[in-house]
Amino acid sequence: MKKNTKDENNRKTVLAIIVLTVFFLLLLKLIYVQIFLHSKINRVVDRMVNRKNIEIPKRGNILDSRANILATSVKRYTVFLDTRIIEDFNKVKTVLFKNGIKIKEKRISDFGNAAYVPIAFNVNMDIVNNIKNEKLKGIGFESKYTRQYPEGRLLSHILGITDCDGNGLEGIEKMYNSYLSGNYITTKMYRDGLGHVIRDKFIDGLKLQGQNVELCIDRNIQFIAEQELRNAFKKYNAKKAICIVQDPTEGKILAMVSLPDFNSSTKIKNIGFLRNAAISDVYEPGSTFKVVAIAAALETGKVKYSDKFYLENGKFRIAGHTIKDDHKVKELVSLSRIMEISSNIGVIKIAQKLGKEDFYRYIRKFGFYSLTGIDLPGEAKGLLMEIKNWNSLTLPNISFGQGIGVTAVQLINAFSCIANDGVLKKPYVVQKIENLYDKTESNIFKSKEIRRVVSVETARQLKKILKNAVDFGTGKNAKILGYTVGGKTGTAQKVDLITKTYSTKCYTASFCGMIPAMNPKVVILVIIDEPKGGSYYASSVASPIFAAIAKRVTEYLGVEKDDIIK
């Protein structure tokens, strides 16, 4: 009996020791977890319960001056499959097929055991809702904003493009990317005991949107310029074509076209088409540049409006070279007549009276060999030899637009300076940026005066000379019914890149003009690079294009006629 009692006590002792040991080990484990694993466990739980969510804003719109949408962002979806939870693959295939999504795989096993298999991209909300209504397991959706350009090719170089993540790469999209893209907002989401998601704050949809950028460009004027220029571009099988329409009193760009162009909404096959020739390409302006030498000579008093010049009967020997004019004139001619017949000899003699120091100074005052500061990426400053390197032929050549490189935006801005009574304005494309959340507006580029280049009197004499060049000279084809027009043609030989001499086959034809001539409301520049299939002269190529654009633009803007024929 005593032995049994003793064995029972031993068993109890062993059991107690085992229980105490287990308890002690659990206590040690608990202490280890609570003290040494506390931070790690908290992090794991926090990831399970709390989740940071980055809210991506909708990119702001780009609008024209009349609030027409030129670029916008729309929500599109990627449809994907979670093959691990699909219950009826055939039904999934049928539903997707009805909504225009075809799956080639015959069995669910063909995908493997994958949680994410994208099967359709850029799907709109209507299709997504149709699929969701079927309440099938294993179909998921990812949303993303996609940039769209409702007007297609219109304004492609100005608007630019974005990358797949919505960041601006060219044009306004790049220049104003920080305004358009908006600010990312981070929110926290919690899960309660039942797994329901709770957000830490409500986000106003307007706050999740970039700012709208409004251009000075009028969609309708842009359409006119593009349509007329595109017709000419095809007609002459040109290498390039450019047109700019500017408000001379404000500096606003009302239209800007560079051809060839591209469609921002489709894949761009030739990356060279992204280049905006109107601000990035440098060319020799030819006779349109003669206005600079004459302006400088009049302003400095080296030449008077009433002065007469002998044009050497069409041949002029200078520095061992012979300069020829198309017109052989024996008698003395006026300053205005020199521009009417576009005499190289006449403008050389004017430049010689002016001198190279004053000529160089006024070239720079008109804004050449400097950035205009236009709010578009990729602007070039042009080419101009330093005055210390000029030789005996440099001044004569530059006087009629050879030996100098300018951009289209520089040239039209110089003509706008004359149209604006001698005051050079900064050209600009964006006139307003609007924050939709707090309804604030900021005029980033108001009309800004750069400097006065010539006096009002000189500018008005120049406008009269340019008017005569259209009425009686090479610019006759630029006339439009009911309006006076002032302007200048330019037919420039291009340099042959192989021989390094001026080509007798390749030319650039241009015309820059203002309407009405003495009180201009718009200035228009047209450039056709290497026109083919007939005449290459600006008088027959560029001037008629100018007239076609000017006629439609003045009618659209309601510019009052000043040359009514009774």
Side-chain angles (χ1 to χ4, degrees):
M1 190 73 176
K2 287 182 179 180
K3 186 177 180 179
N4 290 337
T5 303
K6 186 178 180 180
D7 290 342
E8 186 177 346
N9 289 336
N10 289 338
R11 284 196 299 271
K12 289 180 179 179
T13 301
V14 171
L15 184 61
I17 291 171
I18 292 172
V19 171
L20 288 172
T21 301
V22 172
F23 178 77
F24 181 71
L25 291 173
L26 289 173
L27 181 63
L28 288 177
K29 181 69 173 179
L30 183 62
I31 292 171
Y32 175 73
V33 170
Q34 287 291 328
I35 295 175
F36 297 102
L37 296 182
H38 180 268
S39 298
K40 184 178 180 180
I41 291 171
N42 274 353
R43 287 196 298 270
V44 173
V45 172
D46 188 62
R47 283 198 299 268
M48 293 172 63
V49 178
N50 305 327
R51 181 182 169 190
K52 284 186 178 180
N53 186 52
I54 298 175
E55 301 284 351
I56 301 174
K58 178 184 178 184
R59 192 170 178 84
N61 295 332
I62 302 176
L63 315 168
D64 83 335
S65 60
R66 298 175 185 263
N68 295 304
I69 294 177
L70 302 171
T72 189
S73 292
V74 294
K75 190 170 279 189
R76 290 289 183 261
Y77 294 83
T78 297
V79 181
F80 67 90
L81 301 180
D82 185 346
T83 61
R84 302 171 306 172
I85 61 174
I86 290 177
E87 295 176 344
D88 188 340
F89 184 57
N90 288 329
K91 188 173 183 181
V92 166
K93 287 178 65 175
T94 301
V95 169
L96 292 174
F97 184 76
K98 286 180 180 178
N99 288 279
I101 302 171
K102 187 175 181 180
I103 298 177
K104 296 179 181 179
E105 286 75 6
K106 295 181 179 180
R107 297 175 297 275
I108 190 69
S109 58
D110 293 340
F111 293 107
N113 188 28
Y116 181 82
V117 181
I119 55 171
F121 302 91
N122 202 30
V123 178
N124 64 42
M125 175 65 82
D126 292 337
I127 292 176
V128 169
N129 287 335
N130 289 341
I131 298 171
K132 282 183 176 180
N133 289 337
E134 298 292 335
K135 297 180 180 179
L136 295 172
K137 287 186 178 181
I139 304 178
F141 309 92
E142 276 186 333
S143 66
K144 185 178 182 180
Y145 282 109
T146 301
R147 203 63 166 162
Q148 289 192 347
Y149 303 88
E151 299 290 346
R153 306 181 81 89
L154 194 78
L155 267 166
S156 58
H157 285 104
I158 303 299
L159 299 176
I161 58 172
T162 59
D163 62 16
C164 59
D165 294 321
N167 298 307
L169 297 178
E170 296 287 344
I172 294 295
E173 297 279 25
K174 178 180 180 179
M175 198 75 179
Y176 290 88
N177 187 63
S178 60
Y179 294 97
L180 289 163
S181 59
N183 298 315
Y184 286 57
I185 298 175
T186 302
T187 61
K188 287 185 178 181
M189 296 191 301
Y190 306 92
R191 289 187 183 275
D192 62 14
L194 297 175
H196 298 142
V197 175
I198 304 170
R199 294 181 181 271
D200 70 333
K201 56 186 173 182
F202 170 77
I203 300 175
D204 190 331
L206 290 176
K207 198 172 183 180
L208 261 177
Q209 182 162 330
Q211 298 179 60
N212 286 350
V213 173
E214 186 176 297
L215 309 183
C216 312
I217 290 176
D218 187 313
R219 176 207 171 279
N220 295 323
I221 297 176
Q222 181 75 21
F223 176 81
I224 291 168
E226 284 200 24
Q227 187 180 59
E228 296 292 348
L229 193 70
R230 201 178 300 279
N231 290 339
F233 181 67
K234 292 177 181 177
K235 176 182 177 181
Y236 294 107
N237 192 23
K239 183 178 180 181
K240 286 184 295 189
I242 296 168
C243 177
I244 306 177
V245 183
Q246 186 174 22
D247 175 349
T249 59
E250 297 289 324
K252 292 179 180 180
I253 301 298
L254 304 179
M256 180 181 284
V257 190
S258 295
L259 298 177
D261 58 357
F262 56 92
N263 189 333
S264 304
S265 297
T266 61
K267 186 176 181 180
I268 299 165
K269 296 180 180 179
N270 189 337
I271 196 169
F273 290 173
L274 291 171
R275 186 179 179 87
N276 185 354
I279 64 170
S280 299
D281 286 8
V282 176
Y283 76 105
E284 291 192 352
S287 293
T288 53
F289 200 75
K290 288 173 180 175
V291 71
V292 177
I294 293 175
L298 286 170
E299 183 66 15
T300 56
K302 302 286 183 69
V303 170
K304 294 182 177 61
Y305 185 81
S306 58
D307 285 352
K308 303 281 186 178
F309 294 85
Y310 176 54
L311 302 187
E312 309 290 338
N313 197 25
K315 287 186 179 181
F316 186 43
R317 192 76 177 165
I318 182 170
H321 290 74
T322 301
I323 307 296
K324 296 180 180 180
D325 276 344
D326 290 333
H327 300 79
K328 293 183 178 181
V329 182
K330 296 179 180 180
E331 67 275 9
L332 296 175
V333 301
S334 66
L335 195 64
S336 182
R337 187 62 184 161
I338 286 172
M339 285 290 270
E340 289 168 26
I341 63 174
S342 198
S343 169
N344 291 344
I345 295 170
V347 80
I348 287 172
K349 290 194 170 188
I350 291 168
Q352 286 176 328
K353 282 179 173 287
L354 177 62
K356 67 178 183 179
E357 286 80 10
D358 279 339
F359 190 24
Y360 183 88
R361 182 163 59 91
Y362 273 87
I363 289 171
R364 298 302 305 275
K365 283 187 75 173
F366 269 106
F368 297 104
Y369 198 51
S370 298
L371 299 178
T372 65
I374 191 170
D375 47 337
L376 287 170
E379 184 185 8
K381 65 183 291 188
L383 298 169
L384 176 63
M385 191 185 298
E386 292 292 332
I387 194 169
K388 63 182 180 182
N389 297 322
W390 285 24
N391 59 33
S392 56
L393 275 175
T394 305
L395 181 142
N397 282 343
I398 294 178
S399 70
F400 56 83
Q402 282 188 351
I404 184 172
V406 308
T407 63
V409 72
Q410 286 174 339
L411 187 69
I412 194 171
N413 214 40
F415 271 75
S416 287
C417 170
I418 294 166
N420 192 36
D421 283 339
V423 175
L424 188 69
K425 290 293 187 75
K426 181 180 177 179
Y428 63 107
V429 174
V430 171
Q431 64 182 12
K432 186 171 70 177
I433 292 179
E434 182 182 17
N435 189 326
L436 297 178
Y437 180 67
D438 56 15
K439 302 298 182 183
T440 58
E441 296 177 358
S442 53
N443 293 308
I444 301 301
F445 287 107
K446 292 182 179 179
S447 178
K448 182 179 179 181
E449 179 178 323
I450 298 175
R451 58 183 160 267
R452 174 168 286 282
V453 180
V454 296
S455 66
V456 174
E457 181 183 359
T458 297
R460 289 179 179 171
Q461 288 175 339
L462 288 165
K463 282 187 274 190
K464 188 174 181 181
I465 289 171
L466 292 171
K467 178 179 180 297
N468 290 340
V470 173
D471 286 343
F472 311 113
T474 58
K476 285 181 180 178
N477 287 330
K479 287 183 179 181
I480 54 176
L481 187 65
Y483 296 95
T484 58
V485 176
K488 184 69 189 76
T489 55
T491 306
Q493 288 177 282
K494 296 185 68 175
V495 174
D496 189 313
L497 297 178
I498 297 175
T499 64
K500 306 299 181 183
T501 59
Y502 283 101
S503 171
T504 56
K505 296 180 180 179
C506 298
Y507 296 83
T508 301
S510 61
F511 183 88
C512 194
M514 52 193 74
I515 318 111
M518 300 306 294
N519 186 27
K521 304 302 180 188
V522 289
V523 177
I524 302 173
L525 170 65
V526 173
I527 301 172
I528 304 295
D529 185 26
E530 295 188 23
K532 302 174 186 69
S535 175
Y536 55 81
Y537 285 104
S539 57
S540 57
V541 174
S543 297
I545 305 168
F546 167 90
I549 295 170
K551 181 178 183 296
R552 295 173 65 183
V553 169
T554 48
E555 288 175 354
Y556 169 72
L557 292 176
V559 177
E560 187 176 352
K561 293 184 178 181
D562 69 327
D563 191 26
I564 299 172
I565 300 172
K566 295 182 180 179

